Amino acid sequence: MNSLMTRGSLFDDFFRDVAPGFYVKPLHGDALPSPAQIKIDIKENGTSYTVQAEVPGVAKDDIQVSVDGSIITLRAEVKQEDTQNKDDKLLRSERYFGSVSRAFQLPQDVDESEAKAKYDNGVLTLTLPKKKVGNGAQRLRID
């Protein structure tokens, strides 16, 4: 099955190079990103995880991050619009709207109350403190 998908990809690449007229490309940017295109880096130190995710071209208000134990979910609403002046005659308009999301699991639960997020120049940086684990099993006194 994988070989079929690879062949299709090779043919797509071939026809895209040989006959580019068959593929319509956006006038102002790339098409919607796929979940695999949200590239992430995850670093760990003794007390927290640091996640950097590339989400270029998305407004800060259109990004959502949710933390559920050790599962982190990133969602982004992608909105690309063409602008037009009043003197312009519109010949073609391409607008892209949609959402993309990616979820991943960390090795340890995250303390949601102390988690922080920062978005700068297309890079979302999450600081996710590890949830403090108790001193292991505690022995209960039996009455």
Side-chain angles (χ1 to χ4, degrees):
M1 183 86 174
N2 283 343
S3 63
L4 291 177
M5 293 190 323
T6 303
R7 281 189 202 143
S9 175
L10 288 173
F11 285 124
D12 289 344
D13 291 341
F14 173 75
F15 283 114
R16 194 176 348 252
D17 293 339
V18 173
F22 289 117
Y23 292 91
V24 177
K25 294 182 181 179
L27 296 174
H28 53 74
D30 296 330
L32 293 173
S34 69
Q37 288 177 321
I38 298 178
K39 306 294 185 201
I40 60 172
D41 294 330
I42 303 173
K43 297 177 186 174
E44 176 183 15
N45 63 30
T47 59
S48 67
Y49 300 101
T50 302
V51 177
Q52 290 184 321
E54 292 181 0
V55 196
V58 178
K60 178 176 74 169
D61 296 334
D62 293 333
I63 299 174
Q64 297 175 351
V65 179
S66 62
V67 178
D68 184 12
S70 64
I71 298 175
I72 312 302
T73 304
L74 306 174
R75 287 188 184 88
E77 293 290 326
V78 180
K79 300 175 186 173
Q80 296 179 354
E81 295 184 34
D82 289 333
T83 58
Q84 180 181 1
N85 295 331
K86 67 177 184 171
D87 296 333
D88 291 343
K89 180 180 177 184
L90 182 63
L91 298 177
R92 179 177 175 172
S93 177
E94 294 182 351
R95 293 181 182 90
Y96 298 95
F97 297 96
S99 63
V100 62
S101 66
R102 180 167 183 184
F104 54 92
Q105 186 170 8
L106 297 171
Q108 187 175 339
D109 284 355
V110 171
D111 186 359
E112 299 93 358
S113 64
E114 297 293 320
K116 296 178 183 173
K118 180 182 175 187
Y119 185 64
D120 188 34
N121 291 329
V123 177
L124 176 67
T125 303
L126 306 175
T127 305
L128 307 168
K130 296 177 182 177
K131 193 171 267 189
K132 293 181 176 47
V133 182
N135 296 333
Q138 294 183 5
R139 186 170 182 162
L140 296 177
R141 193 183 82 176
I142 301 173
D143 292 327

